Amino acid sequence: MYNNFYIRVDQNRYEGDDFDTFKFNLIVKNKIVDEYNAVLKSWAVHDYKCQWIEALKRLKTHTTTCLVFCYNNEVAKGDFPGVRTVDIFKVINSKLLFQPRNFFSDEYIKMLKKKEYNMQSCYDFIMPFETHNEYGWELDYWSCDYNPQEIDQLIAELKK
């Protein structure tokens, strides 16, 4: 049982479709706080899970990490390149703060001019934690307790 946070992958097949779709859910304190219909063009579900495992392992040695929920570097008909992450901040080894980030189209292309985006470099794009944007609007974020044993349990489950 996870009291703090959990990542769930739901697989669906809609009537009339001959392919499966996936939804990634971030659950904090038993509530789905972020869900994203997965774009499986650049990465497969296995790739996302590998990135999440590495991101969670980083919490033992780093104060920041990120979970990638969407990565699309293909520019095809109607597709927009982009990245959707949830940045995680470890605060004084007792709390975790989660903040969603989106980098799409122009912002994503501008980001790539600094460095290639991949599973190893994604951590270089973590932005500072903010409660409000430059216009004064409140930004989404969630918090929970930091429990290393739960994180180890989540890592083991993601490896299955």
Side-chain angles (χ1 to χ4, degrees), residues 54-65 90 93 146 148 151:
E54 290 308 310
L56 294 171
K57 287 178 181 179
R58 280 177 54 95
L59 283 173
K60 293 180 181 184
T61 57
H62 294 74
T63 57
T64 61
T65 192
K90 184 168 60 172
N93 287 329
Y146 172 62
I151 292 171

Side-chain angles (χ1 to χ4, degrees), residues 33-56:
V33 295
D34 197 41
E35 60 184 4
Y36 197 82
N37 290 318
V39 175
L40 299 178
K41 295 184 179 185
S42 301
W43 287 0
V45 172
H46 174 77
D47 298 319
Y48 285 102
K49 286 184 176 184
C50 287
Q51 191 279 321
W52 299 340
I53 290 166
E54 290 308 310
L56 294 171

Side-chain angles (χ1 to χ4, degrees), residues 16-34:
D17 287 343
D18 59 350
F19 59 90
D20 292 331
T21 61
F22 294 87
K23 184 180 288 185
F24 300 151
N25 299 282
L26 176 63
I27 301 162
V28 177
K29 294 182 181 175
N30 295 315
K31 179 182 174 197
I32 296 175
V33 295
D34 197 41

Side-chain angles (χ1 to χ4, degrees), residues 45-154:
V45 172
H46 174 77
D47 298 319
Y48 285 102
K49 286 184 176 184
C50 287
Q51 191 279 321
W52 299 340
I53 290 166
E54 290 308 310
L56 294 171
K57 287 178 181 179
R58 280 177 54 95
L59 283 173
K60 293 180 181 184
T61 57
H62 294 74
T63 57
T64 61
T65 192
C66 68
L67 303 170
V68 178
F69 284 111
C70 170
Y71 173 62
N72 183 16
N73 67 354
E74 296 183 22
V75 183
K77 299 176 196 169
D79 281 352
F80 295 99
V83 175
R84 178 173 176 84
T85 67
V86 174
D87 293 348
I88 304 176
F89 304 86
K90 184 168 60 172
V91 184
I92 314 171
N93 287 329
S94 63
K95 291 273 185 209
L96 296 177
L97 301 174
F98 302 83
Q99 191 155 57
R101 307 282 187 191
N102 292 301
F103 303 96
F104 287 102
S105 295
D106 293 343
E107 200 173 32
Y108 175 74
I109 291 165
K110 185 173 125 182
M111 186 173 84
L112 289 181
K113 289 180 181 177
K114 297 177 186 173
K115 190 175 202 174
E116 181 183 349
Y117 194 92
N118 56 44
M119 281 192 210
Q120 292 73 38
S121 70
C122 61
Y123 309 107
D124 298 334
F125 295 93
I126 296 171
M127 299 175 66
F129 179 79
E130 297 176 323
T131 58
H132 293 79
N133 68 12
E134 65 271 16
Y135 306 109
W137 292 88
E138 189 172 348
L139 297 173
D140 285 339
Y141 69 92
W142 311 282
S143 67
C144 71
D145 292 332
Y146 172 62
N147 182 330
Q149 291 79 25
E150 275 191 14
I151 292 171
D152 289 342
Q153 182 182 354
L154 180 54

